[in-house]
Every structure is written in structure tokens, then in C-alpha cells.
Amino acid sequence: MLLAIFLTPFATSARLYALLSNNELQNKQLEQTVEAINRYSSWRLSADPDWKSLADRGRIDMVGCQIADTDILMSVIPHAPLININTADTSLLAAGLNDLGIDLGSASALARDIIAYRSPRSEDVSGEQVRFGLKRAPFEDISELYDFRDLQGVPMRALVRTFSAWAGRSLAAKAGDAPQPSSYFTISTRIASPTSSGQDAAVFMAGGSAQLPGTRISPVVQDLDVGTPKRVTSCDDLLGPKAATIFQEAGL
């Protein structure tokens, strides 16, 4: 199983941890483990059509499972339903900003600033919302939205469920439109044991081959998913068959 391949290098760390009983080493081990889980999950998006279908329909969002005394929380967020901040028009951007709690008047003005920020041509906007001035080039990462003062208080977990810098909608969806499959996904995994925790989140482009993991496009540096899972399932269901056995072999 591919998850075993990703986790095998960390088994040695687990044995060393048993000898040293060092909390810092355990934290590092958990960080490596969640990175491995996310790489494995990006592979499943190409190798497991049923699992990808769940991801495309938003069914793997804040899903939790437990192995012994270790809690795992995972989200796989498809980008196709999101708003593309590099191509969306003013009205769609304003609608997304309004969904984040910004009043419609301010959202419309902010949407115009976002378009000016990403556009090489001159726009008739002040750019006062932008801390470091207008970039005049496409967004490379969703975190650039924090350059806008009105968005600095919006949690990253809300931004990544609203906007994408790599894919998504440019125009408002019409009633009855069928959901489109995604090529880009934000994958976030958090593991918490009684003494430590580790989290990794990144944007992945699903691989075109069932033999290869997806491409890690960009890390998401801010904490994403914390709190109570929306849905709890078995770890074999969430991570694949024999997940519990593999985690035990990795020392978790």
C-alpha cells in the first residue's frame, strides 16, 4: 500500500523516540507523518475514483477518525466550486467577499481593488486597501489576500473554502449547473496525541497517473482546521484499508 511507502522512513524516528522520550522529536515525527498522509491522499485522488468523487462533492471536509489515543482530522477541499481570484469578474468576487461577512458596498470596492491588484493595465482605483500597493500581476497564492486590510481578520480556513488562485469559477454559477470535477485540491491533515500535535496543509494538483502522487503546488502556512469534526468515520474509511496497522508500525 502506498501509504506504507510514505510512512516507512518515519518508523526509525519512532523507535528513536521510544529510546529518547523526547517531545520535540515526537512533534517532528507527527509533522512528517501528516505530510506523508497528504502526499498519499493526493495520490488517492488519481488512483481511487470513489474517493475522488467524495472529494469533488465536498464530502471530505473536517472529517475525523481515531487510532488508539490519536485523533486525526482531515479536509480535502476541491477548487472547481471556488472563486478564481485571478479570473473572476467584479460581481462574483464581491459575492464571495460578502459571504465572508464583508458588507456588500465594501465588498464591491474591495473586488475592484482585487482586479486592479492582479491586472497589468491601469485601473481607476485608489488601492488604499492594499498594504504594499498594487501588485499588477496575478495572485500566486491565496495568502496574498491578506495584503488587503479588510481581509486580514478573515481566517485562512474561510478563505480557502471561498477562493482559489489556481482554478475555480470566473462567472456566477447558474441554477442547475452540475458540479465540475477538480484538478486542484487543498489537503489539510491534523494529528493530535495526548502530548503533541502536527499539522500540514497544502494545495495539490491531482496526478494524471494512478502510479504517481499529486504535485504539491503551494503550502498553506496558517493553521486551517481545528475543533470538532463535522463527521466522524473509521480511519480505514478515511485513510484507506489497513491504516491503523500502518500507524502502529510507524509508532503512533
Side-chain angles (χ1 to χ4, degrees):
M1 184 177 174
L2 193 57
L3 180 55
I5 297 173
F6 287 137
L7 286 175
T8 296
F10 309 134
T12 302
S13 296
R15 297 189 187 98
L16 184 59
Y17 164 71
L19 294 173
L20 299 179
S21 187
N22 184 294
N23 189 63
E24 182 178 352
L25 181 57
Q26 187 181 31
N27 286 336
K28 183 63 176 177
Q29 180 198 5
L30 287 177
E31 291 173 4
Q32 293 173 326
T33 301
V34 292
E35 289 179 14
I37 290 173
N38 286 350
R39 290 197 301 273
Y40 166 71
S41 299
S42 73
W43 167 80
R44 282 190 78 188
L45 291 169
S46 296
D48 186 340
D50 292 337
W51 201 74
K52 185 177 187 298
S53 177
L54 287 175
D56 278 329
R57 289 182 283 125
R59 294 286 294 147
I60 311 173
D61 191 6
M62 294 287 286
V63 179
C65 70
Q66 187 175 52
I67 297 177
D69 58 357
T70 299
D71 294 310
I72 300 169
L73 182 65
M74 173 180 280
S75 292
V76 182
I77 303 166
H79 283 217
L82 304 182
I83 297 170
N84 190 323
I85 55 174
N86 280 316
T87 60
D89 62 12
T90 305
S91 61
L92 183 56
L93 288 170
L97 295 166
N98 186 235
D99 288 343
L100 292 174
I102 298 172
D103 69 85
L104 198 52
S106 298
S108 296
L110 182 53
R112 290 192 293 272
D113 274 352
I114 288 174
I115 290 176
Y117 181 93
R118 75 189 192 199
S119 302
R121 65 182 183 276
S122 176
E123 297 283 346
D124 187 20
V125 295
S126 66
E128 292 178 357
Q129 267 286 328
V130 187
R131 287 188 298 171
F132 305 113
L134 298 174
K135 181 181 177 182
R136 300 294 189 186
F139 287 85
E140 299 172 70
D141 187 88
I142 202 73
S143 62
E144 289 182 72
L145 287 172
Y146 284 130
D147 284 353
F148 297 83
R149 293 186 177 87
D150 278 356
L151 293 174
Q152 289 169 18
V154 178
M156 177 59 74
R157 61 181 175 272
L159 289 179
V160 300
R161 287 171 170 84
T162 306
F163 295 109
S164 170
W166 299 273
R169 297 177 291 131
S170 300
L171 300 171
K174 298 178 181 178
D177 282 354
Q180 297 298 309
S182 292
S183 297
Y184 291 84
F185 295 82
T186 299
I187 304 178
S188 170
T189 301
R190 182 175 185 270
I191 298 178
S193 72
T195 57
S196 59
S197 64
Q199 181 167 352
D200 179 67
V203 176
F204 288 84
M205 183 173 66
S209 166
Q211 284 73 45
L212 297 173
T215 303
R216 186 180 175 105
I217 301 296
S218 177
V220 180
V221 295
Q222 289 87 352
D223 287 344
L224 281 188
D225 297 334
V226 294
T228 304
K230 295 179 181 177
R231 180 168 66 91
V232 176
T233 186
S234 71
C235 286
D236 280 359
D237 179 50
L238 182 61
L239 301 176
K242 301 182 181 179
T245 301
I246 292 167
F247 271 84
Q248 290 167 1
E249 291 175 353
L252 297 176

